[in-house]
Amino acid sequence: MTKTIRQNLLAALGLTLSGMPALADPLAAIDPALAMGAQGPALETLLEQRCEALERIDVDTPRFPLAADSETHLICDGLDLASGARLDRAVFILGDGALVHVNATGGAAALAQAGEAQQFRDFTVWPDAGVLIDTASDTVWLLNPDGLHTNLFMWRHPALDGAALAGAQTLSFALPAEIRLGETLEVLAPEIEAACAFTRTFEDEPGLPTGNTTQTQIDCFGYEVAGFDRKIEFVFADGRLALAWILTGTGDEARLRDLLTAQYGAPAAAVPPGLEFFPGERIALRTDKPEILVASDAVVSAFLGR
């Protein structure tokens, strides 16, 4: 059932995460020795050689979705690529000491990939390489598989526009106001449209245990939850909201568990494996894939085998 009702960027492009070929590494265009997962000291040494100017920012309280215990931003001005091309500004984000994300502007087309590209709204996308280019803003995102799942292309690094990172803040979890289980599609659709940076609506094959005959999904991009812009997937069964998935990141799990525990109480053991339900059994932290589930009684009963 989970596979049936799950959609993400790759599904929107006609692909699925499972069975996807290993990502090519477009970072070789910057330097043949560079790859996603590169360790911080080696990466910083390389960038000191490649950049006109390099600034390092260590975040005291990590909140980037792919950083659990430590978060570092390396901001590079005037990055010379191995090909001889140049990026005006690039930001390399380290999560727990390893490179997990790159966002750059000014010369983005230099990181266009070989092979056929696909279009997703304003983005030209090479999913197998984890590369998305927005030509209008001359911006490129280099994403690892976790970044693709988390839809990190919806977050533009503030340093690309000369702005500072947001200061330290006390994180909290609040259930999005638009997640109202049982509410109708007619009522929620305009609210979701207004609350999100953009949305995608489609009809899906019924796959819920509610006996529904129609199933509609609204994908909401750019909704802030727990200090970061997220994708939320609203699933309607016969025109009423049956569940929502809030997509999170591999570095989010421990802090989200703490935030949800503070809000609802300690979760039960993962039964079935991969889902930790909090008191009230409407909200669960998914641990086999980084997501939060909010579901109706009928859906929860099916998950719990009742």
Side-chain angles (χ1 to χ4, degrees), residues 74-77 87-92 101-106 137-141 155-165:
L74 299 174
I75 303 170
C76 168
D77 287 317
L87 294 171
D88 289 346
R89 174 165 277 204
V91 183
F92 297 76
H101 183 82
V102 181
N103 196 191
T105 192
S137 65
D138 194 13
T139 305
V140 60
W141 289 258
W155 180 75
R156 178 183 171 93
H157 199 290
L160 297 185
D161 302 309
L165 282 171

Side-chain angles (χ1 to χ4, degrees), residues 205-222:
E205 287 293 323
L208 296 175
T210 54
N212 54 300
T213 58
T214 66
Q215 192 161 307
T216 304
Q217 180 161 322
I218 302 178
D219 288 346
C220 161
F221 297 83

Side-chain angles (χ1 to χ4, degrees), residues 41-126:
L43 174 62
E44 194 164 1
T45 297
L46 185 153
L47 293 179
E48 286 171 348
Q49 300 167 356
R50 288 280 185 183
C51 305
E52 279 189 4
L54 183 66
E55 178 185 5
R56 171 177 175 147
I57 299 174
D58 293 301
V59 177
D60 291 335
T61 304
R63 64 173 180 161
F64 189 69
L66 307 187
D69 299 316
S70 68
E71 177 183 337
T72 299
H73 300 242
L74 299 174
I75 303 170
C76 168
D77 287 317
L79 175 60
D80 292 321
L81 307 186
S83 64
R86 186 179 179 85
L87 294 171
D88 289 346
R89 174 165 277 204
V91 183
F92 297 76
I93 298 181
L94 300 169
D96 305 314
L99 178 63
V100 293
H101 183 82
V102 181
N103 196 191
T105 192
L111 291 176
Q113 300 296 292
E116 184 176 355
Q118 300 184 45
Q119 291 299 130
F120 180 71
R121 290 185 63 95
D122 297 331
F123 298 96
T124 304
V125 186
W126 293 266

Side-chain angles (χ1 to χ4, degrees), residues 112-217:
Q113 300 296 292
E116 184 176 355
Q118 300 184 45
Q119 291 299 130
F120 180 71
R121 290 185 63 95
D122 297 331
F123 298 96
T124 304
V125 186
W126 293 266
D128 59 333
V131 176
L132 297 93
I133 294 177
D134 180 354
T135 303
S137 65
D138 194 13
T139 305
V140 60
W141 289 258
L142 307 184
L143 305 176
N144 64 14
D146 292 328
L148 280 171
H149 166 76
T150 313
N151 289 262
L152 286 177
F153 66 94
M154 274 306 303
W155 180 75
R156 178 183 171 93
H157 199 290
L160 297 185
D161 302 309
L165 282 171
Q169 61 178 286
T170 300
L171 295 182
S172 62
F173 176 85
L175 188 67
E178 295 74 21
I179 301 182
R180 301 199 299 277
L181 298 169
E183 185 59 273
T184 65
L185 175 63
E186 289 75 15
V187 169
L188 285 180
E191 293 184 27
I192 295 169
E193 180 74 25
C196 306
F198 69 83
T199 61
R200 170 180 177 263
T201 302
F202 58 94
E203 298 301 316
D204 204 358
E205 287 293 323
L208 296 175
T210 54
N212 54 300
T213 58
T214 66
Q215 192 161 307
T216 304
Q217 180 161 322

